Amino acid sequence: MKELQNAINYHFKDKNILIQALTHSSFANETHDSVKVQSNERLEFLGDAVVSIVTASYLFFKFPNMQEGQLT
């Protein structure tokens, strides 16, 4: 984890977020009930929403005369 953080030049305050971000759902589903491992799917959902709002905002202001159907 330390090497990855050094490579991206960002150090996570909460290392559990980094572990969750790197955990695929298939691995999370295979772990035992005694060890609660969350997959990255919730973070993926949040990331998709952020990308959508940034893209929509960019298009909305870049093309002020464009209709909703065209922006979509």
Side-chain angles (χ1 to χ4, degrees), residues 32-57:
H32 300 292
D33 291 334
S34 61
V35 179
K36 182 64 177 161
V37 178
Q38 292 186 339
S39 75
N40 59 12
E41 290 179 342
R42 287 179 48 85
L43 293 174
E44 181 183 6
F45 171 80
L46 180 61
D48 289 348
V50 170
V51 169
S52 292
I53 192 70
V54 169
T55 303
S57 179

Side-chain angles (χ1 to χ4, degrees), residues 3-4 14-16 19-20 22-23 27 32 35-37 40 47 51 53 56-57 61 66-69 71:
E3 287 181 29
L4 173 60
D14 184 349
K15 304 292 190 251
N16 291 322
I19 292 168
Q20 182 180 355
L22 298 173
T23 303
F27 175 79
H32 300 292
V35 179
K36 182 64 177 161
V37 178
N40 59 12
V51 169
I53 192 70
S57 179
F61 292 107
M66 196 174 280
Q67 296 297 313
E68 180 268 339
L71 289 170

